[in-house]
Structures are given as structure tokens and as C-alpha cells.
Amino acid sequence: MGKKTYSFINQRGESELEKFACFFGQDSNVLFSSFYEGAKDYFDSISNESRSILRKELQELVENETSNSALKKAWFRLGAEVWQSDLNISEAMRDFIWMLEQY
């Protein structure tokens, strides 16, 4: 089976992953001391079902975008406007998956 290709337009509307990415707009660096704080706030604000779906979508993203540069490009294609420059995106995404598993 080949590499999964993401369609960034979901027929049902925005995916949970797109909603999460879009949460990180240009003001994220002002609103949160770190992306981890922002992610925690976001995870706390969504339903258990949405967290479960988001965890699965994040896992698929990390599995399919194997390099940091590809993962960062996918992050921005999903609708994010920023990424915290001092964070390794692959490590942070795995941390987000772990955080979601703790709910």
C-alpha cells in the first residue's frame, strides 16, 4: 500500500485536524506561552469524540509525513498560520498524540 495522500477539503466540513491546525493563528504566540499550552487548551475545549478523532488524524499525519519539512508543510496546508520555531514538529505532534491519549 502506498503513502496516504491527504485531501485537505473534507466533504463533511473541516476535519478535526484542520480545526486544530486553524486554532494556531498568527496571534497564538501572544495568547499562549507555548504550543503545548495552546494544544492543552484546545484539547480541553473539545468533546471526547473529537479528541479521539483528532488523535487518529494526528497519528495518520505523523505516519505519512516522515520528514520534519514535509510535516511542517502539511501543517500549514491544513490551515495553521504559525509554528513555534523552537519546537521539533515531529516530536511535538507525537507529544500531542500522547496528550490526547491521557484524556
Side-chain angles (χ1 to χ4, degrees), residues 4-90:
K4 183 173 181 176
T5 304
Y6 278 88
S7 171
F8 295 101
I9 298 174
N10 189 318
Q11 290 179 332
R12 297 175 293 135
E14 292 182 323
S15 70
E16 293 300 328
L17 185 54
E18 288 169 317
K19 292 175 192 175
F20 178 57
C22 289
F23 180 74
F24 292 95
Q26 292 180 358
D27 55 352
S28 296
N29 297 333
V30 176
L31 295 173
F32 307 108
S33 62
S34 72
F35 265 40
Y36 285 95
E37 179 187 348
K40 172 88 169 84
D41 284 358
Y42 184 82
F43 300 157
D44 287 345
S45 74
I46 61 176
S47 70
N48 287 336
E49 181 181 3
S50 293
R51 282 192 291 266
S52 179
I53 293 167
L54 176 57
R55 183 188 56 75
K56 290 174 187 169
E57 291 176 350
L58 274 171
Q59 185 68 45
E60 288 177 8
L61 178 67
V62 169
E63 289 172 358
N64 287 298
E65 302 299 343
T66 56
S67 72
N68 276 329
S69 62
L71 187 53
K72 192 175 282 188
K73 286 177 186 174
W75 176 248
F76 288 112
R77 282 194 315 265
L78 286 163
E81 294 180 351
V82 294
W83 180 257
Q84 186 175 325
S85 62
D86 63 338
L87 289 181
N88 176 296
I89 193 166
S90 295

